[in-house]
Amino acid sequence: MTTRREQLLESAADLFAAKGFHGVGIDDIGEAAGITGPGVYRHFPSKQALLETLVDRTMDRMLDLAEHAEDLDTLVDLHVTLVTEQKPLISVWVREQAALAEDVRRSLRTRMRRYEQVWRDALTPRRPDLGSDELSLVVGATLAMLNASSLIEGPLQERRPLLCRLAHATLDA
């Protein structure tokens, strides 16, 4: 059973993805979750806290999946799955970082560097021809492409095989 807190997070992710963080009010989030706007404050102190929770959860999930991946192919598969199955969440994560407090952005950047390092470590044996800076560029470009696909209109599930092929093509280019 989904808790009210989870309903609020899901509603906020959908609304932030559709209208942007600044285009959504607390009443909109409450209504989408089946409660009044002020009722949201029983679960989160602010709209900002909702956004921070969404971004933190996304990054934590990405790191957890990456740190348990066996190889680069698994990393690609996991990230593409995350992008296609959690499109609103990834869209919010991509577009709304500027709306976060500086300390949250700093924490996010630190964890993103850890995530990218897992990818670089997995790519290194496959691409011994690349130096450290080039590995960073290839990984960054691949992740940016995959994450940006969350901004494309329409569902991504049927595009999953293409996204995997594009990611592998970028990593192998």
Side-chain angles (χ1 to χ4, degrees):
M1 179 176 196
T2 305
T3 67
R4 179 67 70 193
R5 184 175 170 83
E6 294 303 316
Q7 287 175 322
L8 287 166
L9 286 166
E10 186 175 314
S11 296
D14 289 342
L15 288 167
F16 293 161
K19 299 179 180 180
F21 176 74
H22 296 294
V24 175
I26 205 76
D27 290 332
D28 300 323
I29 297 166
E31 181 181 335
I35 63 174
T36 65
V40 173
Y41 295 118
R42 281 183 255 137
H43 305 276
F44 293 93
S46 65
K47 183 174 80 164
Q48 184 75 32
L50 270 162
L51 177 62
E52 290 173 5
T53 301
L54 287 169
V55 172
D56 278 340
R57 279 185 165 193
T58 303
M59 191 70 249
D60 288 346
R61 183 168 181 204
M62 289 168 59
L63 265 172
D64 184 56
L65 290 171
E67 290 172 345
H68 292 94
E70 297 174 12
D71 56 24
L72 187 62
D73 294 334
T74 304
L75 283 171
V76 169
D77 186 61
L78 290 170
H79 198 88
V80 169
T81 298
L82 185 64
V83 168
T84 58
E85 292 181 2
Q86 301 292 322
K87 183 180 174 190
L89 197 57
I90 298 299
S91 173
V92 169
W93 186 79
V94 168
R95 289 188 339 187
E96 301 299 342
Q97 291 181 34
L100 297 168
E102 179 56 36
D103 61 324
V104 175
R105 281 196 308 268
R106 193 172 23 257
S107 170
L108 181 62
R109 282 191 302 268
T110 298
R111 290 182 289 160
M112 189 63 194
R113 282 192 295 273
R114 281 183 33 217
Y115 183 72
E116 290 171 351
Q117 185 62 53
V118 172
W119 279 70
R120 285 191 300 275
D121 292 345
L123 181 60
T124 298
R126 190 156 148 179
R127 296 298 310 270
D129 58 311
L130 299 179
S132 177
D133 289 345
E134 292 167 320
L135 284 167
S136 293
L137 178 62
V138 170
V139 166
T142 302
L143 293 174
M145 174 195 58
L146 291 174
N147 291 340
S149 67
S150 69
L151 304 175
I152 295 171
E153 294 280 334
L156 288 178
Q157 290 291 14
E158 67 275 1
R159 297 176 180 159
R160 191 181 186 299
L162 176 58
L163 287 171
C164 286
R165 288 194 310 273
L166 287 169
H168 285 289
T170 304
L171 293 165
D172 293 332

